[in-house]
Amino acid sequence: MGIRMGFQYPSLNLGFQSNLPVHSPVLDIFYHEALCVASAIHDALFHILPGQSLAVFTDSLDTISIFSSLSRDMGYNQLLMFVVDLVLVTAIDFRVFHIIGDRNIVANHLSPNKAQEALSCVPHL
């Protein structure tokens, strides 16, 4: 089982997971966690209206920092610009908040490709 990244919409009983990209500008887990948050923001645009607010929760303090400051090392610029472009086009307001890893149960199961465990936590996911 390979490492994957995952996110969920608790209010919609939806969960998503994906393999990590083969080629990333930065080869560390922090980049992949930031990519997962960017993917969640992108996907949320199909579920909220322009101008609405979006809250994203992660158990990675580094990921919260990058999206709060919109600043990081060179390899992250394209990812941050992607999110900034989404925000400018849709006028959404988003914040990334911390959730304790023990409370991030479904996403923690989706990330290591343990969909069955995620389903045991939320049967209608």
Side-chain angles (χ1 to χ4, degrees):
M1 286 188 198
I3 298 293
R4 306 181 109 189
M5 297 307 292
F7 63 90
Q8 76 165 132
Y9 296 100
S11 63
L12 300 175
N13 279 334
L14 292 174
F16 299 92
Q17 62 182 186
S18 177
N19 293 324
L20 296 179
V22 177
H23 303 287
S24 295
V26 180
L27 298 175
D28 64 21
I29 190 65
F30 170 62
Y31 179 83
H32 296 121
E33 289 172 345
L35 177 61
C36 188
V37 168
S39 298
I41 293 168
H42 179 258
D43 188 74
L45 300 179
F46 298 99
H47 302 280
I48 64 174
L49 297 172
Q52 287 189 309
S53 297
L54 172 67
V56 179
F57 292 86
T58 179
D59 56 11
S60 168
L61 293 173
D62 287 333
T63 302
I64 294 167
S65 175
I66 189 175
F67 286 101
S68 295
S69 67
L70 294 177
S71 174
R72 189 63 187 184
D73 302 333
M74 187 66 129
Y76 296 84
N77 288 344
Q78 185 176 5
L79 181 62
L80 289 172
M81 291 303 296
F82 171 73
V83 171
V84 167
D85 287 344
L86 292 175
V87 169
L88 290 174
V89 168
T90 61
I92 64 163
D93 179 31
F94 81 94
R95 305 268 167 156
V96 180
F97 297 98
H98 185 255
I99 184 171
I100 296 170
D102 293 348
R103 301 194 82 196
N104 200 20
I105 298 168
V106 174
N108 285 341
H109 286 313
L110 292 174
S111 294
N113 197 18
K114 295 182 179 178
Q116 287 305 109
E117 286 86 342
L119 285 171
S120 71
C121 297
V122 182
H124 302 291
L125 185 66

